[in-house]
Amino acid sequence: MLALLVALPILAFLAILFGAPARLTAIAAAAINLVLGLGSMFCWREKIWEFSLPVLEKPAIHLAFGYIDGMSLVMVALSVIVTLAAVMSGKAPAGSEKLYYGSSLLISAGALGAFASTDLFFFYAFHELALIPTFLMIGILGRGDRRGIAWKITIYLGLGSLVLLAGLVWLASLTGTFDLREMQNAAGTIGPAAQKGIAALLIVGFGTLVSLFPFHSWAAPAYASAPAPTAMLHAGVLKKFGLYGMLRIAIPLVPEGLQAWLTPLLVLLLGNILWVGLVTISQKRLDTLLGNSSVMHMGYIFLAIAALIAAPDSNTLALPAAVVLMFAHGVSIALLFGLADRIERSTGSLDLADMGGLAKSAPGMAFLFGIAAMASIGLPGLANFSGEVLVFLSAFENYVPANGLGPVQIACILAIWGVVISAVYMLRAYRNIFQGPTVKSTENAADLTLADHIPAVLLITALLAVGCYPNLLLNLLKH
């Protein structure tokens, strides 16, 4: 059944290519996948979700899907939720419906394939598949210097993928298998020197794809230029591939190697939170502000990963913290990018200086954007709060007062200032756009229609469900 979940967006893409109505086909495929993906939460350990097809005998490579554990399931759930919201949120330019909706479906298929794959080769290959439509959407349908930005992310993510590939091939050669489950059984068999080298390649490779500081400068302009569904799917879902890879592959297989790089990793993640956070405050446009905000919040997830690296056998909070925050950030940033697109279509601008008083003409938009902004800040009752609290607690889980503060605890104390920074830029943006007197661009702006409300309500429901009852995800992560 997981194979069907991955294949359905690809089949829908082919149907669109041969003349099926683009928007309707994309929404239908995404809706079926939402039902299948969320339905699998009730029976995800059944054999019906497993699929394996031999592709190459030597080395043994299989097109294989399955839920390795609850983390795979949470990532699949995130993918199907954001995919439906993405294809319903945007509006394709006239004459570009096939490219617009077809590319969105391929990005979704690539993300689902990567999270559901149990074979290292296809884990990597599906992510690369998702990057191609991302480049096309930015290069052809993007805003501003779209071609320059498309080339920039091609170079950044291409080089990052090559470094990652070198690390994965090295790892597969030492474990003797491409099967992710069998690779985990080989944990502890790799020597310290090899672990250190592989860990460096994986941190740089996965880190570039996640926009870890200082490999982050591709992300904000790419999201600002991308059409709405591309920004929602890439920032919300596809960027989690690197974090998932750190948790799925790097930490179980090269724990000692990662510990050798723990202090540099802590410095880099603080670069995401503090340096990029301050850069975010200075942004003048909503789209670049959201792009930088997305980069900033990756630092918190890396903080949980660092806590797990520091104590892989005894820190029981770090992995759930990272996964819950990955889900929360994915949903909330998708909601923000979707609403930003709707604001631009209503007002013709995303410049904060050109806005004001939009709440008077578009109260529905103001209400939903307010919830999304509060989620991003970490308001209690919304999923981001659960994730961030777990991250901070995980940093102190192994703290012994008699031993003083360790590097992870010091990094956590500094990272907490990021909460203040995010409140400053997000509340300032909300005030500039929705409060105060109306201006020419906002006085007659149209509010959200019923169709606009559906994807936003879907995403907000997910944020509230996990925010009010985080055990919804935490129970899955026990297995």
Side-chain angles (χ1 to χ4, degrees), residues 96-254:
S96 301
E97 288 83 0
K98 285 185 179 180
L99 173 65
Y100 191 86
Y101 291 104
S103 295
S104 300
L105 289 169
L106 285 184
I107 295 172
S108 176
L112 283 166
F115 294 136
S117 179
T118 59
D119 186 283
L120 184 68
F121 177 84
F122 285 100
F123 163 79
Y124 179 85
F126 272 107
H127 176 262
E128 298 304 298
L129 166 72
L131 291 182
I132 297 170
T134 304
F135 302 146
L136 291 176
M137 286 285 274
I138 293 174
I140 298 173
L141 300 181
R143 292 169 293 195
D145 180 21
R146 62 181 190 276
R147 291 181 181 171
I149 293 170
W151 274 113
K152 184 175 183 179
I153 64 168
T154 301
I155 293 168
Y156 256 96
L157 299 187
L159 289 174
S161 294
L162 284 175
V163 173
L164 174 62
L165 182 62
L168 295 179
V169 169
W170 191 354
L171 203 52
S173 68
L174 292 178
T175 57
T177 179
F178 282 82
D179 187 294
L180 288 172
R181 288 166 170 150
E182 291 181 9
M183 287 180 84
Q184 294 193 352
N185 294 333
T189 61
I190 302 173
Q195 281 204 28
K196 189 175 179 181
I198 294 170
L201 292 173
L202 296 185
I203 289 173
V204 174
F206 283 132
T208 304
L209 303 181
V210 178
S211 64
L212 176 67
F213 180 89
F215 314 111
H216 67 287
S217 64
W218 62 269
Y223 298 146
S225 176
T230 305
M232 293 171 73
L233 281 165
H234 199 285
V237 180
L238 198 59
K239 200 157 72 165
K240 306 302 180 290
F241 169 83
L243 300 161
Y244 177 81
M246 289 293 294
L247 293 167
R248 169 68 67 213
I249 297 172
I251 290 178
L253 291 171
V254 290

Side-chain angles (χ1 to χ4, degrees), residues 237-279:
V237 180
L238 198 59
K239 200 157 72 165
K240 306 302 180 290
F241 169 83
L243 300 161
Y244 177 81
M246 289 293 294
L247 293 167
R248 169 68 67 213
I249 297 172
I251 290 178
L253 291 171
V254 290
E256 292 176 37
L258 289 171
Q259 284 175 0
W261 300 107
L262 179 60
T263 301
L265 181 62
L266 289 168
V267 172
L268 298 186
L269 71 88
L270 285 175
N272 276 75
I273 296 171
L274 298 178
W275 172 254
V276 179
L278 294 174
V279 170

Side-chain angles (χ1 to χ4, degrees), residues 66-87:
Y67 288 127
I68 297 176
D69 53 27
M71 182 167 59
S72 303
L73 176 60
V74 172
M75 290 297 99
V76 167
L78 170 66
S79 304
V80 295
I81 291 171
V82 174
T83 298
L84 180 58
V87 296

